[in-house]
Amino acid sequence: MSQEQQYWLPGFGLSRHIVLGHIQYFLGPNASVRPFTYQGREGYLINGMPLTREQINDLAVMSREYERQEAARMTHAGMESSSEPYINEPIPVSQRPRRRVQHFDNRRNR
């Protein structure tokens, strides 16, 4: 049986949402994962049992499905008028005229 270890998993084709949300399903409740760059490549630093090739393939399939669903949701959200605002909608900010600050000299008012 394999022992727990720390290792880097390349992130190509793996959705951050899926990997971070499902690693304990695959490796147990003591496993942890975080985004990590290794030698200039994005991926994940995992503490736990080594993932099998089948488990990595399952994560990739789940990631593709998640990304497909999210793309469809975003496309439909753009077509429909929804009460939920688009998060990246530009918001105009008008320049307010500066208030003139008046300084009162107490010596003049005597």
Side-chain angles (χ1 to χ4, degrees):
M1 182 172 219
S2 299
Q3 292 183 349
E4 287 190 18
Q5 53 186 282
Q6 184 177 54
Y7 57 96
W8 178 76
L9 175 68
F12 182 76
L14 299 176
S15 169
R16 178 180 289 200
H17 178 81
I18 295 299
V19 174
L20 296 180
H22 292 80
I23 199 69
Q24 291 179 334
Y25 171 79
F26 287 96
L27 301 180
N30 293 331
S32 65
V33 62
R34 68 182 178 97
F36 191 79
T37 302
Y38 179 70
Q39 296 182 348
R41 294 179 59 202
E42 297 295 321
Y44 304 95
L45 187 63
I46 298 174
N47 287 303
M49 304 298 283
L51 285 165
T52 65
R53 213 171 253 212
E54 292 81 17
Q55 290 172 321
I56 296 169
N57 290 338
D58 288 344
L59 286 169
V61 168
M62 293 170 71
S63 294
R64 283 191 299 273
E65 180 62 20
Y66 171 76
E67 296 298 335
R68 186 192 65 74
Q69 288 175 354
E70 285 300 299
R73 185 181 66 81
M74 292 301 288
T75 301
H76 287 89
M79 293 177 173
E80 302 170 1
S81 62
S82 119
S83 60
E84 187 176 318
Y86 176 61
I87 194 162
N88 289 331
E89 186 71 34
I91 299 172
V93 178
S94 62
Q95 292 283 334
R96 293 184 189 173
R98 291 186 180 178
R99 291 184 180 176
R100 289 183 50 185
V101 178
Q102 295 180 347
H103 296 282
F104 292 101
D105 188 352
N106 290 334
R107 287 179 284 172
R108 286 187 192 173
N109 295 336
R110 292 183 187 180

